[in-house]
Amino acid sequence: MSQIFHRSTNAFARFTIFGGIFIVASFVFLIMMIDRSLFVTRQGQSFDQPVPFSHDHHVGEIGIDCRYCHITVERASFAGIPEPEICMNCHKVLFSDAPMLEPIRRSFETGEPVEWTRVYDLPDFVYFDHSIHVAKGISCVSCHGRVDKMPMTVKATSLKMDFCLECHFDPVKNVRPRDKVFDLAWQPGKDFSEEQIRLVHELNVQSKVDCSTCHR
């Protein structure tokens, strides 16, 4: 019986199969790169807010502690968005008639919340607990950067899974003394590595990479 297909058909079939695999792999790689791009993650960008709040002024210049505004950061998963009452503790007197603070004054008088734009917004399938990170000696700086130097809050990190896993695989490098967690300008000394090892045991810091740690 004569051969139906020309011998070159085999080469064409192989080219089609491997070419198809290459195209699919390239497409998946492209999607991953887009998903991690600054356009999607918005890392390094600031966001328009109803009130142009400056951490640089309030934290860096005045020295207000993070916990004064983010009151639940040490005891709850959510750090807490400042209530207008907290703002008005000072602004009843300071800049009380400033036009830019009108949304705060209106919220304080009516009880309607200020519609802040979220800078860090994790998906619903991701569980994150601020309090446990603080308790283990992980500073705000590790995820939020030097907010005390930000005139407008900038999204300092992507918070993609690979960013979180980098720390979860090796949390030791981000551990600091508990009393330095909210000291954003703190820097470790030359001999801090031995202190870090002690802190890891003292605070029971563990490498948590099981899926259920964050996906519950």
Side-chain angles (χ1 to χ4, degrees), residues 190-199:
K190 293 182 180 179
D191 301 325
F192 185 65
S193 56
E194 294 184 5
E195 173 71 4
Q196 240 172 353
I197 295 173
R198 184 189 65 79
L199 285 170

Coordinates of all heavy atoms in Angstrom, one line a residue, residues 190-199:
K190 N 25.8 46.6 63.6 CA 26.7 45.7 62.9 C 26.6 44.3 63.6 O 26.7 43.3 62.9 CB 28.1 46.2 63.0 CG 28.3 47.4 62.1 CD 29.8 47.8 62.2 CE 30.1 49.1 61.3 NZ 31.5 49.5 61.4
D191 N 26.4 44.2 64.9 CA 26.3 43.0 65.6 C 24.9 42.5 65.9 O 24.7 41.7 66.8 CB 27.1 43.1 66.9 CG 28.5 43.5 66.7 OD1 29.1 43.1 65.7 OD2 29.1 44.3 67.6
F192 N 24.0 42.9 65.0 CA 22.6 42.6 65.3 C 22.2 41.1 65.0 O 21.2 40.6 65.5 CB 21.6 43.5 64.5 CG 20.2 43.3 64.8 CD1 19.7 43.6 66.1 CD2 19.3 42.9 63.9 CE1 18.3 43.4 66.4 CE2 18.0 42.7 64.1 CZ 17.5 42.9 65.4
S193 N 23.0 40.4 64.2 CA 22.7 39.1 63.8 C 22.5 38.1 64.9 O 21.6 37.3 65.0 CB 23.7 38.5 62.8 OG 25.0 38.6 63.4
E194 N 23.4 38.3 65.9 CA 23.3 37.4 67.1 C 22.0 37.8 67.9 O 21.3 36.9 68.4 CB 24.5 37.6 68.0 CG 25.8 37.1 67.4 CD 27.0 37.2 68.3 OE1 26.8 37.6 69.5 OE2 28.1 36.9 67.9
E195 N 21.7 39.1 68.0 CA 20.5 39.5 68.7 C 19.3 39.0 67.9 O 18.3 38.6 68.6 CB 20.4 41.0 68.7 CG 19.1 41.6 69.3 CD 18.9 41.4 70.8 OE1 19.8 40.9 71.4 OE2 17.8 41.8 71.2
Q196 N 19.3 38.9 66.6 CA 18.2 38.4 65.8 C 17.9 37.0 66.1 O 16.8 36.6 66.2 CB 18.5 38.6 64.3 CG 17.6 39.5 63.6 CD 18.0 39.8 62.2 OE1 19.1 39.5 61.8 NE2 17.1 40.5 61.5
I197 N 19.0 36.2 66.2 CA 18.8 34.8 66.5 C 18.1 34.6 67.9 O 17.2 33.8 68.0 CB 20.2 34.0 66.5 CG1 20.8 34.1 65.1 CG2 20.0 32.6 67.0 CD1 22.2 33.5 65.0
R198 N 18.5 35.4 68.8 CA 17.9 35.4 70.2 C 16.4 35.8 70.1 O 15.5 35.1 70.7 CB 18.6 36.3 71.1 CG 18.1 36.2 72.6 CD 18.7 37.3 73.4 NE 18.2 38.7 73.0 CZ 17.0 39.2 73.3 NH1 16.2 38.5 74.0 NH2 16.7 40.4 72.9
L199 N 16.1 36.8 69.3 CA 14.7 37.2 69.1 C 13.9 36.2 68.5 O 12.7 36.0 68.8 CB 14.7 38.5 68.3 CG 15.2 39.8 69.0 CD1 15.3 41.0 68.0 CD2 14.2 40.2 70.1

